[in-house]
Amino acid sequence: MNKHFSKFLAASVTAAVVATAALPASAASITFKDENLFGSHSENIYIAAERGLVKGVNGYFNPNNNITRGQVVKTLARYIEETYGEIDTSATAPFKDVTSAHPDQELYKASLVVKEFEVFNGVNNSLLPNNQISRQAMAKVLVEAFGLYEYINEDSQVVITDLEQADEWAREYIEKLAELEITTVSAFKPKANVSRAQYASFLVRTIEGVEWAEEFEVIGVDSVTVNQGEAPVLPETVTFRYNDGYEVELPVSWDKVDTSQPGVYEVKGSVDETGHEVAIQVTVTQ
């Protein structure tokens, strides 16, 4: 089963408090010597760099260079580990062409991470890390890695005018990027390669879109007042209302609360289906 990123954004929240994905501290000192070449991608390149997802070489980002499969793998692995911490890949078999003897050890470790998470496919178990990646292949990677099929945008104004130039297998992925406005151009050029600058924008729009959609508030959890010594009646379910308007009601298991003494207590509950933690205020009166 694919471990889609969007399914594993766990957080600890309290009732009526919006939970947001935490960002790492910005590396405000990051600058690139060739930023004059960034064009409209400048903001996204720096967002990706500040999150540690992309890096330069000797102070240069080289925005117009085509990105390689290996470089894409590194960005995905960095995001996975930003989200979940260090991943145990001790039982993960390496790609045939990126073994433990590979000179780029970051690539070797990243390849194991993406393979463990099933978010980047090889070709006959070869990663082909030095190959450039086409725009249609990148669309497939982003849709499958981030589980983008789960999201909809009925207000998209993006219409792809050259979809017929894409291979048939790729068209649904390109259309999903257009629907979610991860791509904002009409001429997608599916067979063209992806520049490093373009990829930074695709990646940042994807991550920010998923994180925005995954932000929620817990509703339907009001404070409870009980008499001393009585057992409080706590709600059996809580409702998650997401930024995109989607609501889901899920069962919650509450910790026990001691009502033998008057006071105000915070009782925590676990939403087992998502792994989130919620809380409710219980007031015990004499």
Side-chain angles (χ1 to χ4, degrees), residues 19-70:
T20 58
L23 299 180
S26 294
S29 60
I30 293 179
T31 58
F32 293 107
K33 299 174 183 178
D34 51 357
E35 64 180 14
N36 62 305
L37 303 176
F38 290 0
S40 62
H41 302 288
S42 181
E43 181 179 1
N44 288 326
I45 289 171
Y46 276 115
I47 290 173
E50 288 169 0
R51 291 187 66 152
L53 302 177
V54 298
K55 298 179 181 179
V57 177
N58 297 323
Y60 291 88
F61 185 72
N62 300 311
N64 297 322
N65 287 4
N66 291 328
I67 198 162
T68 66
R69 290 167 57 89

Side-chain angles (χ1 to χ4, degrees), residues 6-282:
S6 60
K7 286 301 187 183
F8 287 78
L9 293 175
S12 175
V13 299
T14 56
V17 176
V18 175
T20 58
L23 299 180
S26 294
S29 60
I30 293 179
T31 58
F32 293 107
K33 299 174 183 178
D34 51 357
E35 64 180 14
N36 62 305
L37 303 176
F38 290 0
S40 62
H41 302 288
S42 181
E43 181 179 1
N44 288 326
I45 289 171
Y46 276 115
I47 290 173
E50 288 169 0
R51 291 187 66 152
L53 302 177
V54 298
K55 298 179 181 179
V57 177
N58 297 323
Y60 291 88
F61 185 72
N62 300 311
N64 297 322
N65 287 4
N66 291 328
I67 198 162
T68 66
R69 290 167 57 89
Q71 290 168 343
V72 170
V73 163
K74 287 181 179 180
T75 66
L76 296 178
R78 290 165 187 159
Y79 181 74
I80 291 171
E81 295 201 319
E82 173 194 296
T83 307
Y84 312 116
E86 187 174 355
I87 305 301
D88 180 7
T89 58
S90 58
T92 307
F95 290 100
K96 290 190 299 185
D97 54 348
V98 185
T99 67
S100 59
H102 197 278
D104 186 340
Q105 282 296 292
E106 182 187 5
L107 175 61
Y108 167 64
K109 294 175 182 177
S111 70
L112 294 178
V113 170
V114 298
K115 196 173 187 184
E116 172 67 18
F117 269 66
E118 301 177 15
V119 297
F120 198 95
N121 297 323
V123 179
N124 297 322
N125 199 35
S126 292
L127 184 61
L128 307 175
N130 297 322
N131 287 16
Q132 296 172 353
I133 190 167
S134 68
R135 290 168 64 87
Q136 66 178 9
M138 177 215 58
K140 180 177 186 290
V141 168
L142 292 178
V143 171
E144 293 190 342
F146 288 88
L148 298 183
Y149 282 125
E150 300 177 17
Y151 304 98
I152 59 173
N153 176 19
E154 297 177 348
D155 300 321
S156 177
Q157 302 298 312
V158 180
V159 177
I160 302 299
T161 58
D162 58 354
L163 193 63
E164 73 285 350
Q165 295 180 20
D167 291 332
E168 188 172 349
W169 61 262
R171 294 174 186 176
E172 60 183 303
Y173 301 112
I174 296 169
E175 288 180 311
K176 179 54 69 172
L177 293 193
E179 176 194 342
L180 299 180
E181 297 182 339
I182 292 169
T183 181
T184 58
V185 297
S186 296
F188 187 75
K189 301 179 181 179
K191 299 292 183 70
N193 291 322
V194 186
S195 74
R196 287 170 53 80
Q198 291 167 345
Y199 179 74
S201 286
F202 282 125
L203 183 64
V204 168
R205 291 187 197 123
T206 299
I207 290 173
E208 290 188 343
V210 167
E211 290 178 345
W212 177 86
E214 292 292 333
E215 291 176 5
F216 62 88
E217 61 178 343
V218 179
I219 60 176
V221 182
D222 300 319
S223 59
V224 174
T225 300
V226 295
N227 293 326
Q228 184 177 352
E230 293 182 353
V233 178
L234 303 179
E236 296 181 354
T237 62
V238 293
T239 299
F240 286 16
R241 177 184 291 160
Y242 290 86
N243 269 345
D244 60 3
Y246 176 72
E247 292 187 5
V248 59
E249 187 173 298
L250 298 171
V252 57
S253 300
W254 297 103
D255 294 343
K256 293 182 179 180
V257 56
D258 182 0
T259 62
S260 61
Q261 298 295 326
V264 179
Y265 303 93
E266 181 183 80
V267 182
K268 293 183 179 180
S270 175
V271 182
D272 294 335
E273 188 169 329
T274 66
H276 290 92
E277 189 176 83
V278 294
I280 190 169
Q281 179 178 292
V282 176

